[in-house]
Amino acid sequence: MSVAATEFANDALHTQAQHYADVRSRIARGEKKPIVVSQAAADALTISELRQEVSLLQKALAKAQSSLRFVAEREPHLRETEQRADRLELDLADARARILSQAELIKSINDDGEEVTDRRRTVPEIVAEVLKGFPGVTWSDVKSVRRTRELIGPRQACMEAVYDERKDLSLPSIGKLFCRDHTTILHAVRKVKADRGAA
C-alpha cells in the first residue's frame, strides 16, 4: 500500500472514530443532534418513497383484480354447488326421518304379525291443540312471515310440540311445514324448553 493510501485510510479511520465518539457522548448526555437535510434531498426522498408506494399499490390492485376475475368466473358454479349441497343435506335428513318412521312402524307390528295402529297425531292436530292456548292465532298466522310479538310465542310453542311429538320428522321437514329453516325450528325448541325450565 502506498504512503498516500495509508494516510487516507488513517484519516478515514480517525474521522470515523471521531464521529462515533461524538455520537456516544451525545447519547450519554441525552442530546439529539438535528439531522440537516437539504430541501432538494428531502423532496427527492419523498418522491422516491411515493413512487415505491404507488408501485406497491398498483401491484396489490392488479392482484386483487385478478382474484376478483377468478371468483367472478367461478361464482355461478360455486353457487350451484352450494345449492346442490343444501338440497342433498335436506334430502338426507328426510331420508333418515323416513327410515326412522319405517323402523317405528316395523316395531309397532306385534308378535302375532298384526299391525298396531299408528297412535301419532298429525301435525295439524298437534298445532290445533297448542293454539287452543293462544286465542285468535291461526295456523296461517303461525306459518306467515310476520314476526310480531303476538305470534312468536305461539309459533315457537307449535314448533316445539311438533318436534317433541313427531320424532319421525326431521328438523328440515318440520321447517318446511312451518315455512322456516331447520335452524329456526331448533332455536324454537331450545327457547321453549329453556323458558319452561326457568318457569
Side-chain angles (χ1 to χ4, degrees), residues 110-122:
N110 64 19
D111 295 333
D112 298 333
E114 298 173 7
E115 184 177 335
V116 178
T117 58
D118 191 5
R119 295 184 190 96
R120 292 183 303 211
R121 294 187 300 165
T122 64

Side-chain angles (χ1 to χ4, degrees), residues 5-62:
T6 306
E7 287 181 18
F8 178 75
N10 287 338
D11 281 343
L13 287 174
H14 178 69
T15 305
Q16 187 178 14
Q18 183 62 40
H19 171 73
Y20 287 133
D22 290 344
V23 170
R24 280 194 294 273
S25 67
R26 281 199 312 272
I27 290 172
R29 289 191 307 257
E31 295 176 12
K32 292 183 181 175
K33 183 177 180 182
I35 299 173
V36 179
V37 179
S38 70
Q39 187 61 37
D43 290 344
L45 183 63
T46 304
I47 290 170
S48 168
E49 288 173 350
L50 288 175
R51 282 186 182 146
Q52 286 177 346
E53 193 170 330
V54 167
S55 174
L56 290 173
L57 289 174
Q58 286 174 335
K59 288 177 185 175
L61 178 62

